[in-house]
């Protein structure tokens, strides 16, 4: 086991080569104790190198994590974005024309792919984009003098962020039932009245199925006076196949860390730009990035937006991430994006076709970029759960698929191979899953106690909650002189 | 095509196994009218052409400029080990560590990050990070609202206008509003350390007022400053941790942090890593207290947040490990010494003036000329600049700035 960095500490050891501290007066008592590690440079380097080896990234291997689109993260993205890392956001626009031109071009390309009039690049993540989009819907209705619209309809298969974002944006969320892998139209109709502000939908949905009735759904919601919000979590299946704007969605967010290949970073930073139709442009967050064609052209941040919902980030969002997406968009071009979505659909259907002889596929239609399998039969017969299968995959060298989501399918695993995996990789993964199915029948205990080859076995998550230990110093029982 | 490994024969073989003629056959659920529309076309470039754009784009800066611009993001020294270690792709190409058996690297680093933030703030718990300082402050107000059942907040010293705008956008939809007076309706008293103009002041009066009215004290603190000063006795401390090992990134990605007293654990937003043991009793780290979060609680969650700034937090924890107490305190003291020197030097120029008090990094310079088009620091008004100095701004740079401003002042 790798120690914690604090456990390498030896009094008097140091890594840095800074000059001696000057004597200064802060006009305030200086603190005495600060228990940061006292370590040498080699301690830091070896510790974090060892920790990196206890992680599994896309660069380590296949990562079929459904709804997360773990595609390859091109290295040129990193190199490209790095060039702008030193820029301060308070500098005059005139000193950053090169950077602003890239951001503007990113916005234009997103508009071209998804069919929107404009995008704001400010939201720092998908959930942040949802919140922003819902505030835009709220502002739209209020601007029309219609403050009664307080409800947002959300299908029961939706990501958990959807209902949570509704609450934060001051809406009441109302759950809509699913039927045969899509929205239950009868249930939707029951809820459509003049208190409905909008409907949030993921399409393809979280089962990986394209919502066949999307045009009818959009028509119903619009006729009732509501707007449609597109959760772009699954946008990797849409490029060149169907524009969310053409499906009838008025507002959408796109996860650049999914569809546009920026790395997930072990949980962030991401970016969640929000696109809107022409009617909603006045409500975009402040500022928007505009272009004035006079005098050879000039990019500038426009704050003169009287109907704007306001600012959602301290500056213009995760620019470092936006630049990586720019690099990807430029290198792919529209033809590359189109091919990426088509191959994402091909890969998912290939995986599904190879697995369906052994695994139960609750919705056997052709899927889009991902699909769901259920191992409820394994559970009934052998006591082996979806989590067990997931853990056993680690022993075969894979990152497991998403488990237990969507909530409407029991014992499910959700697989999204993405387009950046070759056929051989998919074949090897299928072989592993088929082998595991065989193990379930012949040696279920082996699967139930997996993983066997990882640095740790299954952690005791109940204990983590019952006896929370969130801070090394508390766990030592040695509180700081200042801790309350 | 880039990043797409399929050969034509792969595609044909895969279609054969699926049992269709073409990929289009898989898209039968998509209405034909949508299929026909496709996307608007644009071209592609090679990697070589893309990188060449960096040198040919007009209107940019060649290198980090000498502009003394801070005001929320700061140009600090970042040791070489920080980008090199955080740039290991096992870290940056990983997803959120939902599978702890193959994510101990990220989980351990976040636990260390939480621990160091607790130590800096003097508070018992910290989360795994939030988008930026502004959204972290909004989340802290949410915590105060859910704890006190009140819906007002009061800011007692100068808050960044950007933070104020984000608070208003985030909180107004639920009728949580900023007020001027602390009353029995106040959920949170917000104190800035330092304030937007770099001024350091005493948080004790804010604590007394918060206590007297039953409100929580939220301090929005620069973490570097916390390395040298006694931490304020706040209920919640939040802020922007970009100065810890992260570049300015034109404002983002940034690194919001949030630390709180132990009893606010259930109200805390965002991811939290905890220590436990595995099936063989070995020390292990996991994402924990997840019943607060959106994927479990849905509309009743403490927040909608579904990510953290893990990679930025990793940079911060490597940075803090490398610098340690002596390094962080040295950086903070160099910043203060350079601020003092710049204030004395620039404030002494004929026609120029600085404000009284102790300042950290940022300070206001009143100028005898219009400063809007100078691009030196942030122009607050026509004749008023917010300048910022860090440990990287040498006396020589400050002297050069003084000469430049003296000339401009004389010409005006």
């Amino acid at each position: 086991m790798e120690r914690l960095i604090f456990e390498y500490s030896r009094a008097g050891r140091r890594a840095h080569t800074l000059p001696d501290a000057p004597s200064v007066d802060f006009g305030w008592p200086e603190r005495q104790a600060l228990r940061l590690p006292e370590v040498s440079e080699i301690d830091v380097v070896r510790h974090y190198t060892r920790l990196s080896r206890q992680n599994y990234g896309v660069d380590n291997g296949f990562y079929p994590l459904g709804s997360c689109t773990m595609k390859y993260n091109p290295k040129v993205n990193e190199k490209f974005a790095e060039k702008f890392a030193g820029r301060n956001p308070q500098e005059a626009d005139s000193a950053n024309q090169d950077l602003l031109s890239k951001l503007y071009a990113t916005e234009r390309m997103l508009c071209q792919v998804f069919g929107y009039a404009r995008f704001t690049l400010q939201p720092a993540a998908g959930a942040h984009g949802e919140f922003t989009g819902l505030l835009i819907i709220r502002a739209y209705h209020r601007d029309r003098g219609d403050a009664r619209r307080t409800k947002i309809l959300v299908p029961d298969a939706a990501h958990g962020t959807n209902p949570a974002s509704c609450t934060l944006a001051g809406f009441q969320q109302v759950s809509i039932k699913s039927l045969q892998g899509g929205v239950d139209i009868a249930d939707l109709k029951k809820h459509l009245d003049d208190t409905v502000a909008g409907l949030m939908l993921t399409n393809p949905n979280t089962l990986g199925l394209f919502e066949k009735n999307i045009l009818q759904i959009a028509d119903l919601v619009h006729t009732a006076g509501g707007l449609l919000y597109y959760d772009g979590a699954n946008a990797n299946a849409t490029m060149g196949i169907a524009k969310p704007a053409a499906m009838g969605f008025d507002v959408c967010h796109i996860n650049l860390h999914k569809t546009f290949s920026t790395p997930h970073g072990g949980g962030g930073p991401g970016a969640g730009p929000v696109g809107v139709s022409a009617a909603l442009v006045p409500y975009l967050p402040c500022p928007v990035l505009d272009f004035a064609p006079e005098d050879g052209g000039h990019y500038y941040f426009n704050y003169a937006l009287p109907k704007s919902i306001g600012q959602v980030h301290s500056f213009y969002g995760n620019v470092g991430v936006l630049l990586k997406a720019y690099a990807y968009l430029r290198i792919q071009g529209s033809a590359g994006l189109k091919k990426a979505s088509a191959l994402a659909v091909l890969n998912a259907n290939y995986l599904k076709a190879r697995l369906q002889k052994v695994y139960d596929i609750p919705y056997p239609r052709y899927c889009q970029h991902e699909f769901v399998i259920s191992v409820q039969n394994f559970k009934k017969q052998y006591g082996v759960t979806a989590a067990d299968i997931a853990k056993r995959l680690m022993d075969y060298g894979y990152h497991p698929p998403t488990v237990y989501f969507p909530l409407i399918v029991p014992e499910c695993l959700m697989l999204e191979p993405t387009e950046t995996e070759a056929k051989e990789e998919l074949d090897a993964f299928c072989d592993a899953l088929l082998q595991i199915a065989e193990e379930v029948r012949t040696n279920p205990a082996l699967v139930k106690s997996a993983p066997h080859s990882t640095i740790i076995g299954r952690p005791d998550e109940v204990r983590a909650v019952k006896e929370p230990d969130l801070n090394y110093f508390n766990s030592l029982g040695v509180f700081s002189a200042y801790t309350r | 095509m880039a990043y797409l490994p399929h050969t034509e024969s792969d595609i044909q073989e895969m279609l054969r196994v699926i049992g269709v003629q073409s990929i289009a056959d898989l898209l039968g659920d998509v209405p034909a009218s949508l299929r026909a529309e496709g996307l608007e076309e644009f071209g592609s470039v090679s990697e070589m052409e893309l990188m060449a754009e960096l040198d040919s784009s007009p209107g940019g800066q060649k290198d980090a400029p000498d502009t003394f611009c801070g005001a929320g993001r700061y140009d600090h020294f970042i040791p070489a080990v920080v980008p090199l270690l955080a740039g290991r792709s096992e870290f940056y190409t990983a997803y959120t560590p939902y599978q702890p058996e193959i994510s101990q690297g990220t989980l351990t680093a976040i636990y260390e990050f939480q621990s160091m933030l607790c130590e800096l703030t003097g508070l018992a718990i910290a989360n795994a990070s939030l988008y930026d300082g502004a959204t972290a402050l909004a989340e802290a107000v949410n915590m105060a609202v859910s704890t006190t059942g009140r819906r007002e907040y009061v800011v007692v010293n100068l808050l960044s206008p950007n933070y104020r705008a984000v608070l208003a956008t985030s909180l107004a939809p639920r009728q949580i509003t900023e007020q001027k007076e602390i009353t029995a309706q106040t959920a949170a008293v917000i104190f800035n350390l330092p304030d937007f103009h770099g001024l350091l002041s005493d948080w004790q009066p804010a604590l007394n007022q918060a206590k007297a009215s039953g409100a929580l004290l939220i301090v929005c603190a620069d973490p570097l400053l916390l390395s040298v000063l006694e931490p304020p006795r706040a209920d919640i401390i939040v802020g922007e941790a970009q100065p810890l090992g992260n570049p300015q990134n034109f404002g983002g990605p940034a690194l919001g942090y949030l630390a709180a007293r132990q009893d606010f654990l259930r109200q805390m937003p965002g991811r939290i890593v905890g220590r436990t043991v595995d099936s063989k009793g070995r020390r292990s780290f996991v994402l924990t207290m997840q019943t607060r979060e959106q994927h479990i609680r849905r509309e009743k969650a403490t927040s909608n947040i579904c990510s953290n700034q893990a990679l930025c937090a990793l940079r911060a924890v490597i940075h803090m490990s490398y610098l340690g107490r002596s390094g962080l305190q040295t950086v903070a003291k160099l910043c203060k010494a350079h601020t003092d020197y710049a204030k004395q030097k620039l404030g002494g120029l004929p026609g120029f003036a600085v404000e009284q008090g102790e300042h950290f990094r940022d300070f206001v310079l009143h100028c005898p000329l219009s400063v809007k088009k100078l691009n030196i620091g942030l122009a607050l008004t026509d004749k008023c600049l917010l300048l910022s100095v860090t440990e990287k701004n040498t006396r020589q740079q400050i002297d050069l700035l003084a000469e430049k401003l003296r000339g401009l002042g004389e010409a005006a």
Side-chain angles (χ1 to χ4, degrees):
Chain A
M1 287 309 288
E2 177 59 8
R3 288 178 276 172
L4 291 166
I5 190 70
F6 303 105
E7 293 161 345
Y8 284 93
S9 190
R10 294 292 178 272
R13 215 169 254 172
R14 73 159 60 163
H16 73 83
T17 53
L18 288 164
D20 289 338
S23 171
V24 289
D25 182 11
F26 285 90
W28 195 251
E30 286 189 32
R31 69 188 289 163
Q32 299 309 311
L34 178 64
R35 293 168 301 171
L36 293 179
E38 295 183 65
V39 290
S40 63
E41 180 161 328
I42 199 168
D43 291 330
V44 176
V45 170
R46 287 197 178 138
H47 173 62
Y48 290 102
T49 300
R50 287 184 191 124
L51 286 188
S52 76
R53 297 178 62 183
Q54 300 184 5
N55 248 26
Y56 188 102
V58 174
D59 286 5
N60 293 83
F62 187 42
Y63 220 118
L65 197 61
S67 248
C68 301
T69 314
M70 299 299 287
K71 62 170 78 175
Y72 172 65
N73 308 136
K75 302 307 156 194
V76 65
N77 295 2
E78 305 297 310
K79 269 293 199 217
F80 186 83
E82 209 174 272
K83 288 287 266 193
F84 298 96
R87 300 290 176 89
N88 181 290
Q90 300 275 27
E91 302 257 6
D93 297 338
S94 61
N96 285 302
Q97 287 297 298
D98 55 348
L99 170 54
L100 298 184
S101 73
K102 310 279 178 257
L103 298 181
Y104 193 83
T106 305
E107 184 191 333
R108 289 317 316 157
M109 288 186 279
L110 292 177
C111 290
Q112 288 172 300
V113 176
F114 298 108
Y116 289 97
R118 292 219 60 175
F119 267 85
T120 172
L121 305 181
Q122 227 180 99
H128 202 204
E130 289 177 17
F131 177 62
T132 303
L134 288 169
L135 290 185
I136 291 170
I137 291 175
R138 186 173 181 271
Y140 165 80
H141 289 305
R142 293 194 165 225
D143 195 33
R144 290 165 47 251
D146 192 353
R148 278 176 315 170
R149 296 189 178 267
T150 53
K151 286 183 199 151
I152 296 281
L153 309 180
V154 182
D156 53 10
H159 299 107
T161 48
N162 289 184
S165 299
C166 288
T167 305
L168 270 194
F171 285 113
Q172 185 199 344
Q173 78 100 29
V174 179
S175 189
I176 300 292
K177 287 187 198 128
S178 300
L179 183 69
Q180 293 164 349
V183 170
D184 180 342
I185 302 275
D187 195 47
L188 171 67
K189 281 182 179 166
K190 250 190 273 173
H191 289 93
L192 281 175
D193 58 30
D194 61 3
T195 64
V196 169
L199 168 75
M200 289 181 98
L201 206 63
T202 310
N203 192 23
N205 63 22
T206 56
L207 297 166
L209 301 175
F210 196 91
E211 190 67 65
K212 279 192 270 194
N213 302 317
I214 183 60
L215 297 173
Q216 187 196 354
I217 292 167
D219 195 41
L220 284 170
V221 174
H222 284 151
T223 304
L227 297 181
L228 270 84
Y229 182 93
Y230 182 77
D231 175 340
N234 292 346
N236 201 44
T238 67
M239 296 182 292
I241 293 173
K243 284 181 191 162
M247 297 178 210
F249 290 97
D250 307 279
V251 194
C252 91
H253 86 260
I254 300 298
N255 304 74
L256 297 187
H257 45 286
K258 296 181 181 177
T259 310
F260 295 102
S261 84
T262 73
H264 284 69
V274 168
V276 293
S277 61
L280 299 179
V281 168
Y283 312 103
L284 283 173
C286 196
V288 296
L289 180 57
D290 276 338
F291 180 71
E294 301 83 34
D295 303 331
H298 178 76
Y299 299 95
Y300 67 104
F301 283 114
N302 184 358
Y303 288 85
L305 308 165
K307 291 186 175 181
S308 165
I309 60 161
Q311 207 168 330
V312 298
H313 186 267
S314 47
F315 292 102
Y316 198 58
N318 285 344
V319 172
V321 176
L322 301 171
L323 289 165
K324 293 176 193 180
Y326 169 85
Y328 177 77
L329 281 158
R330 293 283 287 144
I331 285 192
Q332 287 296 58
S334 57
L337 298 176
K338 208 173 155 175
K339 189 148 192 200
S341 281
L343 292 178
V345 172
L346 177 69
N347 274 5
N349 279 287
Y350 179 69
L351 215 53
K352 180 168 144 291
R354 279 212 54 195
L355 294 174
Q356 66 194 3
K357 293 173 199 109
V358 174
Y359 284 89
D360 178 29
I361 313 272
Y363 300 92
R365 287 148 62 185
Y366 293 128
C367 63
Q368 302 295 304
H369 66 307
E370 68 185 5
F371 63 100
V372 171
I373 63 181
S374 171
V375 294
Q376 209 182 5
N377 52 345
F378 287 171
K379 192 179 176 187
K380 281 186 188 146
Q381 216 172 336
Y382 306 100
V384 174
T385 65
D388 297 333
I389 306 280
K391 299 297 184 194
R392 183 62 181 149
L393 272 168
M394 296 176 190
D395 289 332
Y396 284 84
Y398 295 107
H399 193 286
T402 299
V403 285
Y404 302 113
F405 187 81
L407 309 176
I408 57 173
V409 181
E411 293 302 325
C412 67
L413 295 108
M414 184 202 258
L415 293 86
E416 179 181 6
T418 84
E419 72 281 6
T420 57
E421 301 298 335
K423 178 174 172 294
E424 305 91 281
E425 191 67 61
L426 303 180
D427 283 333
F429 177 75
C430 286
D431 292 345
L433 262 183
L434 298 177
Q435 180 69 37
I436 290 170
E438 189 57 31
E439 287 171 358
V440 168
R441 281 184 281 272
T442 55
N443 188 1
L446 177 73
V447 181
K448 281 194 271 190
S449 55
H452 303 283
S453 59
T454 47
I455 188 96
I456 57 162
R458 293 190 199 190
D460 184 345
E461 302 200 8
V462 174
R463 173 175 156 155
V465 174
K466 279 196 176 153
E467 303 166 34
D469 174 351
L470 316 173
N471 168 359
Y472 172 73
F473 299 106
N474 283 14
S475 72
L476 287 180
V478 188
F479 286 80
S480 140
Y482 306 107
T483 304
R484 292 170 310 288
Chain B
M1 295 276 168
Y3 323 127
L4 303 174
H6 301 65
T7 65
E8 195 48 44
S9 69
D10 287 340
I11 293 173
Q12 291 311 320
E13 173 61 13
M14 291 166 82
L15 289 170
R16 192 190 61 75
V17 171
I18 299 167
V20 291
Q21 296 294 313
S22 71
I23 294 175
D25 293 345
L26 301 170
L27 302 172
D29 285 348
V30 183
S33 63
L34 297 176
R35 289 290 331 269
E37 207 168 311
L39 47 61
E40 260 182 76
E41 288 182 11
F42 52 90
S44 63
V45 294
S46 68
E47 176 170 339
M48 188 167 70
E49 288 165 311
L50 178 76
M51 292 309 283
E53 267 186 28
L54 291 171
D55 302 318
S56 61
S57 296
Q61 307 157 326
K62 285 302 162 205
D63 263 311
D66 267 1
T67 66
F68 298 87
C69 212
R73 296 290 184 271
Y74 301 97
D75 181 23
H76 285 286
F77 164 68
I78 299 174
V81 299
V82 173
L84 286 174
L85 291 170
R88 288 185 64 92
S89 68
E90 297 91 334
F91 284 129
Y92 81 75
T93 71
Y95 190 67
T96 301
Y98 285 127
Q99 297 290 349
E101 295 88 348
I102 50 176
S103 310
Q104 286 298 296
T106 296
L107 288 163
T108 307
I110 292 175
Y111 181 83
E112 292 174 347
F113 172 80
Q114 289 173 184
S115 304
M116 289 187 198
L117 262 300
C118 287
E119 181 67 7
L120 276 171
T121 56
L123 288 165
I125 52 173
N127 74 9
S129 71
L130 295 162
Y131 305 135
D132 64 356
T135 52
L137 183 56
E139 294 281 9
V141 175
N142 277 332
M143 286 172 70
V145 167
S146 62
T147 307
T148 62
R150 305 171 179 183
R151 307 189 83 79
E152 296 178 5
Y153 60 96
V154 176
V155 185
V156 294
N157 61 354
L158 192 61
L159 176 66
S160 152
N162 291 355
Y163 280 45
R164 172 165 270 138
V166 172
L167 281 187
T169 309
S170 311
L171 301 171
R174 281 169 300 128
Q175 289 77 46
I176 301 165
T177 54
E178 181 176 350
Q179 302 293 335
K180 289 205 162 61
E181 301 292 325
I182 298 171
T183 68
Q185 300 310 311
T186 309
V189 173
I190 299 172
F191 179 87
N192 298 282
L193 187 71
D195 78 359
F196 180 56
H197 290 173
L199 184 69
L200 296 170
S201 58
D202 187 1
W203 43 263
Q204 188 69 49
L207 175 62
N208 296 344
Q209 285 176 293
K211 276 200 168 157
S213 66
L216 302 191
L217 176 65
I218 299 172
V219 171
C220 188
D222 189 296
L224 201 50
L225 201 48
L226 292 176
S227 76
V228 279
L229 300 187
E230 278 188 13
R233 289 201 298 279
D235 298 290
I236 304 170
I237 300 184
V238 296
E240 178 54 64
Q242 173 267 319
L244 303 175
N246 282 276
Q248 302 180 84
N249 285 329
F250 201 66
L255 181 57
Y257 77 88
L258 190 153
R261 281 178 17 207
Q262 182 81 47
D263 37 334
F264 296 134
L265 179 55
R266 303 269 160 197
Q267 282 81 43
M268 187 122 97
R271 301 222 166 106
I272 301 174
V273 171
R275 173 158 123 175
T276 184
V277 292
D278 78 349
S279 45
K280 291 186 178 151
R282 293 172 292 198
R283 177 164 73 187
S284 313
F285 297 94
V286 291
L287 289 173
T288 190
M289 315 306 289
Q290 295 194 52
T291 50
R292 301 163 300 113
E293 292 190 65
Q294 49 75 27
H295 59 286
I296 312 279
R297 292 264 287 173
R298 300 177 76 85
E299 74 275 11
K300 295 189 188 68
T302 53
S303 161
N304 72 336
I305 196 160
C306 179
S307 61
N308 67 336
Q309 302 284 99
L311 197 63
C312 306
L314 175 68
R315 291 182 69 116
V317 78
I318 297 170
H319 187 79
M320 289 188 279
S321 299
Y322 187 85
L323 290 187
R325 179 179 73 113
S326 76
L328 279 189
Q329 292 184 339
T330 298
V331 169
K333 287 177 179 181
L334 285 168
C335 287
K336 182 67 170 70
H338 292 180
T339 311
D340 290 348
Y341 180 76
K343 275 177 69 186
Q344 177 235 323
K345 191 86 188 177
L346 304 175
L349 294 171
F352 290 80
V354 292
E355 290 173 355
Q356 293 301 306
E358 297 296 340
H359 290 79
F360 185 68
R361 277 195 308 231
D362 295 297
F363 63 96
V364 174
L365 183 68
H366 298 275
C367 307
L369 67 151
S370 176
V371 297
K372 288 254 166 173
K373 296 214 165 127
L374 286 186
N375 199 20
I376 303 170
L378 174 66
L380 294 172
T381 65
D382 188 41
K383 293 193 167 176
C384 196
L385 277 177
L386 186 63
L387 298 180
S388 178
V389 285
T390 70
E391 76 282 9
K392 286 175 78 176
N393 297 106
T394 60
R395 287 191 171 211
Q396 198 185 7
Q397 282 179 343
I398 294 166
D399 290 345
L400 279 172
L401 175 65
E403 282 318 301
K404 183 175 176 184
L405 287 174
R406 181 197 298 276
L408 289 167
E410 281 165 3

